[in-house]
Amino acid sequence: MNSLAEENYLKAMLSLSNDKGEVNVNELSKRLEIKMPTVTSMMKKLSAKKLVYYQSYKPLRLTEKGRKEAAFIIRKHRLTEMFLVEKMGFGWEEVHSIAEQVEHIQSAEFFEKMDKLLGYPKLDPHGSPIPDKNGKMVWKQYRKLSECEADEVVKLSAVINTSKDFLKFLNSRHLSLGMKLKVKFIEQFDQTMLVSYGKYDKEALSHIVCERLLVEKV
Amino acid sequence: MNSLAEENYLKAMLSLSNDKGEVNVNELSKRLEIKMPTVTSMMKKLSAKKLVYYQSYKPLRLTEKGRKEAAFIIRKHRLTEMFLVEKMGFGWEEVHSIAEQVEHIQSAEFFEKMDKLLGYPKLDPHGSPIPDKNGKMVWKQYRKLSECEADEVVKLSAVINTSKDFLKFLNSRHLSLGMKLKVKFIEQFDQTMLVSYGKYDKEALSHIVCERLLVEKV
DNA sequence: GTAATAAGTTAGATTAAACTAACTAATTTA
DNA sequence: TAAATTAGTTAGTTTAATCTAACTTATTAC
């Protein structure tokens, strides 16, 4: 059994690891808001538990065991977010911090029940994939809205940032998943996009925002 | 904010305190399975936080603040048990250990939502009262089945022990809350009771069991 | 009412998970 | 390529929560 702290390291490692499955101590340190020496010593501990490959000054990698345990925590997190939205009536901007706590509950049946009640969902309320019971998780091939060109029409399918503030901002602009967006104009100067969707004809969305919106072909 | 450990001490204190609101270090130590010196030092800490009145060699008492915080944790525990049974399809024997973890979640809205979805229940699945938002909790005037006399007819309204084993035993005898029980005979030798209920005519229930069944007048 | 037992406390050690200060290795830049 | 910067490690400290051993106070039993 892993401690709460250990679970948080594993989860952060999986969500930060690149295509090679590598993470740096520094990145982990920033994400977890824990100083680097503490991260190093935890890596040695997780290495002793065969959850992480650790070699001094080399990038960190999860072992297969570590990756599975991390995926299972993310599974619990995302199932919880879905449950909170679908079964308990929360808004998508409210669920992250609750799920952050619920994900550590030790009870396979609890999450099995959620999964079943939700009808075995594949995506969470922010469009992120829910890992399956074997720890398998596949991201669809989304593009960032910021990478689209003028006149393109796309569907908003996921958001990168799940912070309350960002999601409240999207709510205030009546942006939600599944919506069709049309890029009307891109300001060369600062990459601001003018987008039409729903009742909005030329809504200005900053580059910062457009980089966090994942879209796919309609 | 109180730590997980602190919350467990507060909860145990409230559930163990007698009519005078007193608990002993020893009782707490046994309930929490934590050695007495550790309990003493935690009491000093909680005393510094104005949650407990502590004087060397005197019985322990919660302050009003401590009592409220303890009641709120018990509220969260019992709402969770009710939610697990009513909304997620768990059996009453399965919910204790999950609720033991969920009760520590910090999110007033989460438990407000549960409460609302459940229709503001007054009792949990084991017949224990759910403290209200002000920390008020009143036990109905139940008697133990073991205190009943032959020929009495009563209603099973609550159980004292919520351990999985005990509740599985009750399940195996098809005993559940709300059931009408008739005491047919009491064995003087060992206090075993022969009880009729449902399809059972003379079911033998040991003293140990009868002491854990709370009943009221029909 | 004293001796035995139970309950409670004090002192000091341990472990997990964090920190800072100081050092070393790797990478970037001029 | 040498210097500066950034990343990573080592050593030692801190805090929360636990423990054991030894001691003190309170209660119970004869």
Side-chain angles (χ1 to χ4, degrees):
Chain A
M1 205 76 307
N2 303 313
S3 69
L4 207 144
E6 288 167 345
E7 291 199 343
N8 285 332
Y9 281 92
L10 293 174
K11 188 173 59 122
M13 283 182 76
L14 182 54
S15 79
L16 287 174
S17 49
N18 62 19
D19 45 351
K20 287 183 197 155
E22 297 176 344
V23 209
N24 299 322
V25 174
N26 193 279
E27 292 162 0
L28 251 188
S29 167
K30 279 173 184 153
R31 166 67 64 94
L32 294 167
E33 296 182 78
I34 285 171
K35 297 289 183 292
M36 290 208 296
T38 310
V39 172
T40 297
S41 76
M42 180 59 93
M43 289 305 110
K44 289 177 179 174
K45 190 177 170 193
L46 293 178
S47 170
K49 295 179 80 172
K50 307 276 184 204
L51 295 165
V52 164
Y53 295 116
Y54 174 76
Q55 283 179 286
S56 281
Y57 298 103
K58 295 277 171 65
L60 308 165
R61 254 171 342 109
L62 289 168
T63 63
E64 182 53 21
K65 186 181 169 207
R67 202 197 56 76
K68 275 195 175 161
E69 300 198 7
F72 194 59
I73 300 161
I74 290 179
R75 173 175 164 79
K76 294 195 287 180
H77 181 100
R78 294 186 179 159
L79 278 175
T80 301
E81 290 195 334
M82 202 62 181
F83 190 86
L84 292 171
V85 167
E86 295 295 317
K87 301 296 174 185
M88 296 187 72
F90 281 94
W92 69 339
E93 78 284 5
E94 303 176 287
V95 299
H96 183 76
S97 66
I98 302 176
E100 204 72 18
Q101 300 175 70
V102 174
E103 72 192 7
H104 299 292
I105 287 175
Q106 302 294 329
S107 166
E109 308 80 49
F110 183 55
F111 295 98
E112 299 276 316
K113 282 259 158 68
M114 271 191 194
D115 198 19
K116 189 175 180 183
L117 287 165
L118 289 166
Y120 310 104
K122 293 269 183 296
L123 301 174
D124 81 4
H126 311 106
S128 302
I130 298 174
D132 70 20
K133 283 181 210 162
N134 305 310
K136 195 163 187 171
M137 160 172 56
V138 270
W139 271 95
K140 262 197 177 180
Q141 294 295 319
Y142 297 132
R143 272 191 306 159
K144 293 177 179 171
L145 178 61
S146 57
E147 292 162 0
C148 294
E149 292 169 20
D151 291 327
E152 270 195 78
V153 178
V154 293
K155 186 173 79 172
L156 179 57
S157 297
V159 293
I160 285 181
N161 187 306
T162 63
S163 75
K164 195 161 194 159
D165 283 348
F166 179 60
L167 296 169
K168 278 170 86 170
F169 166 80
L170 297 184
N171 286 345
S172 75
R173 302 302 158 99
H174 298 91
L175 278 165
S176 59
L177 298 192
M179 224 161 216
K180 202 176 288 180
L181 310 179
K182 181 169 183 185
V183 180
K184 295 293 258 302
F185 180 74
I186 305 170
E187 180 58 66
Q188 292 309 302
F189 174 64
D190 64 356
Q191 314 277 87
T192 293
M193 287 177 143
L194 297 186
V195 181
S196 76
Y197 60 89
K199 291 173 185 163
Y200 294 82
D201 185 43
K202 276 184 186 160
E203 189 65 19
L205 298 175
S206 74
H207 188 60
I208 297 278
V209 168
C210 296
E211 269 194 305
R212 286 167 170 67
L213 300 179
L214 299 180
V215 300
E216 62 185 312
K217 272 193 291 216
V218 275
Chain B
M1 207 76 307
N2 303 311
S3 70
L4 208 144
E6 288 167 345
E7 290 200 344
N8 285 333
Y9 281 91
L10 293 174
K11 186 172 62 125
M13 285 183 76
L14 182 55
S15 79
L16 288 173
S17 49
N18 62 19
D19 46 351
K20 287 183 197 155
E22 295 176 345
V23 210
N24 300 322
V25 173
N26 195 282
E27 293 163 358
L28 252 188
S29 166
K30 279 173 183 151
R31 166 66 65 93
L32 294 167
E33 297 181 82
I34 285 172
K35 296 288 182 294
M36 290 208 296
T38 310
V39 173
T40 297
S41 76
M42 181 58 94
M43 289 303 112
K44 289 178 179 172
K45 190 178 169 192
L46 294 178
S47 170
K49 293 179 81 172
K50 307 277 184 203
L51 294 165
V52 164
Y53 295 116
Y54 174 76
Q55 285 179 284
S56 282
Y57 298 103
K58 296 277 170 65
L60 308 165
R61 255 171 340 110
L62 288 168
T63 62
E64 182 52 22
K65 185 181 169 207
R67 202 197 56 74
K68 276 196 174 161
E69 300 197 6
F72 194 60
I73 300 160
I74 290 178
R75 173 176 164 78
K76 294 195 288 180
H77 181 100
R78 294 186 178 158
L79 278 174
T80 301
E81 290 196 334
M82 201 63 181
F83 190 86
L84 292 171
V85 168
E86 294 295 317
K87 301 296 174 185
M88 295 186 73
F90 281 95
W92 68 340
E93 79 284 3
E94 303 176 288
V95 298
H96 183 77
S97 66
I98 301 176
E100 205 73 17
Q101 300 176 69
V102 175
E103 72 192 6
H104 300 292
I105 286 174
Q106 303 293 330
S107 165
E109 308 80 49
F110 183 56
F111 295 98
E112 299 273 317
K113 281 261 158 66
M114 274 192 191
D115 198 19
K116 188 175 182 182
L117 287 165
L118 289 166
Y120 310 104
K122 293 267 184 297
L123 301 173
D124 80 5
H126 311 106
S128 302
I130 299 174
D132 69 20
K133 283 182 211 164
N134 305 310
K136 195 161 188 171
M137 160 172 58
V138 271
W139 272 95
K140 263 198 176 181
Q141 293 297 317
Y142 297 131
R143 273 188 308 157
K144 293 177 180 172
L145 179 60
S146 57
E147 292 163 1
C148 295
E149 292 168 19
D151 292 327
E152 270 194 78
V153 178
V154 292
K155 186 175 81 175
L156 178 58
S157 296
V159 294
I160 285 181
N161 189 306
T162 62
S163 75
K164 193 160 194 159
D165 284 348
F166 179 61
L167 297 169
K168 279 170 85 169
F169 166 80
L170 298 184
N171 286 346
S172 75
R173 302 302 158 99
H174 298 92
L175 278 165
S176 58
L177 298 193
M179 223 160 217
K180 205 176 285 182
L181 310 179
K182 181 170 185 184
V183 179
K184 294 294 257 304
F185 181 73
I186 304 171
E187 180 59 65
Q188 292 308 303
F189 174 65
D190 65 357
Q191 314 277 87
T192 291
M193 287 176 145
L194 298 184
V195 181
S196 77
Y197 60 90
K199 291 171 185 165
Y200 295 82
D201 186 42
K202 275 183 185 161
E203 189 65 18
L205 298 175
S206 74
H207 188 61
I208 298 277
V209 168
C210 296
E211 269 193 305
R212 287 167 170 65
L213 300 178
L214 298 180
V215 301
E216 63 185 311
K217 272 193 292 219
V218 275

